[in-house]
Amino acid sequence: MSLVIKSVNDKEFAQYGRVVEGIEFSRLLDKLKNTTPAPADEVIYVPGDSNLESMPEAELLSNNIYGGMPIQIGYCNGTNTKLNCLEYHRDSEIDIAADDVVLLLGRQQDAMGDSYDTGLVEAFLCPAGTAVELYTTTLHYAPCSGKLGDSFRVIIVLPKGTNSEKPDIEIKNDEDKRLFARNKWLIAHPESSEADNGAVVCLKGENIDIAELI
């Protein structure tokens, strides 16, 4: 595999996002670690968690990061080494890592046709305790474990309602076909379970697995 794991602190990450500085997230991460599971054999995603959303940091995230917009604070926890899919939103996503994780990222600009080459995906280590903003045009999906066999916990912050029930829309174009949930456009690899559940199959090439790199 030619994929190399870089760091979110490297200059190559700048086209995908930024490291959020100046905000202390230790209490929020402690709440995440003390109140949420991290399965050893799957990945779980909860869009909004009341324990996290009741923390003082919720107002800070809403005001300082999203300019006063209503937000949800959830989590993506578990164990994973594969790409499987890529998604994007109409806004930035904030990921706050309680454990070392690897983010597999791409550019929406490269996925405007009927296929996306998984060889374009780049990998970035997000160290424990680090918060990153993934820009609206950044393709991403579930984090991967930072070390083979290790489970992870990651806080996911998005505008309120994201990843809830998909609106009932009339399909006007190919982009509409990718809408998989509210504010969630998804493209899948044919080997993924999402493809079996109706996601648009758009990822061509290897279903990246970083097991040999971690």
Side-chain angles (χ1 to χ4, degrees):
M1 180 184 296
S2 59
L3 190 67
V4 174
I5 299 177
K6 307 180 184 74
S7 168
V8 295
N9 296 302
D10 291 341
K11 62 181 181 180
E12 290 86 353
F13 182 67
Q15 66 177 316
Y16 302 111
R18 67 180 178 99
V19 174
V20 177
E21 299 178 334
I23 301 178
E24 178 56 57
F25 291 114
S26 58
R27 288 186 304 177
L28 196 61
L29 290 173
D30 285 343
K31 178 68 73 172
L32 176 74
K33 289 184 280 189
N34 292 331
T35 62
T36 65
D41 56 355
E42 64 175 340
V43 174
I44 56 174
Y45 171 67
V46 174
D49 178 85
S50 59
N51 288 320
L52 299 175
E53 292 175 343
S54 66
M55 297 290 287
E57 289 79 3
E59 184 175 3
L60 187 64
L61 284 162
S62 173
N63 290 333
N64 288 48
I65 301 296
Y66 286 94
M69 293 289 290
I71 62 168
Q72 63 193 30
I73 305 177
Y75 59 85
C76 187
N77 298 355
T79 308
N80 179 47
T81 62
K82 288 190 173 183
L83 176 65
N84 290 319
C85 298
L86 289 167
E87 68 177 352
Y88 50 98
H89 314 291
R90 293 293 187 251
D91 48 74
S92 291
E93 173 178 305
I94 303 298
D95 293 357
I96 312 170
D99 306 282
D100 289 354
V101 291
V102 175
L103 304 176
L104 298 177
L105 307 176
R107 302 188 329 139
Q108 183 186 346
Q109 294 93 324
D110 296 323
M112 300 309 292
D114 60 2
S115 66
Y116 175 85
D117 180 4
T118 60
L120 297 174
V121 168
E122 294 191 80
F124 294 89
L125 175 66
C126 183
T130 303
V132 296
E133 175 186 355
L134 300 181
Y135 299 144
T136 183
T137 55
T138 295
L139 303 174
H140 59 282
Y141 205 47
C144 293
S145 302
K147 183 178 180 182
L148 188 63
D150 282 2
S151 58
F152 59 79
R153 291 179 174 88
V154 179
I155 290 172
I156 307 292
V157 186
L158 283 160
K160 194 74 173 177
T162 299
N163 288 318
S164 60
E165 185 178 359
K166 182 178 78 170
D168 184 16
I169 65 170
E170 180 181 352
I171 302 299
K172 299 290 188 179
N173 48 52
D174 289 340
E175 179 78 356
D176 288 350
K177 296 176 183 177
R178 296 178 175 185
L179 188 64
F180 198 71
R182 191 175 300 273
N183 193 26
K184 177 192 185 83
W185 288 261
L186 184 74
I187 51 178
H189 193 276
E191 296 176 2
S192 68
S193 61
E194 288 84 350
D196 295 334
N197 291 324
V200 171
V201 175
C202 185
L203 303 187
K204 307 298 183 183
E206 179 184 1
N207 185 18
I208 293 172
D209 189 335
I210 67 167
E212 294 182 357
L213 299 178
I214 56 173

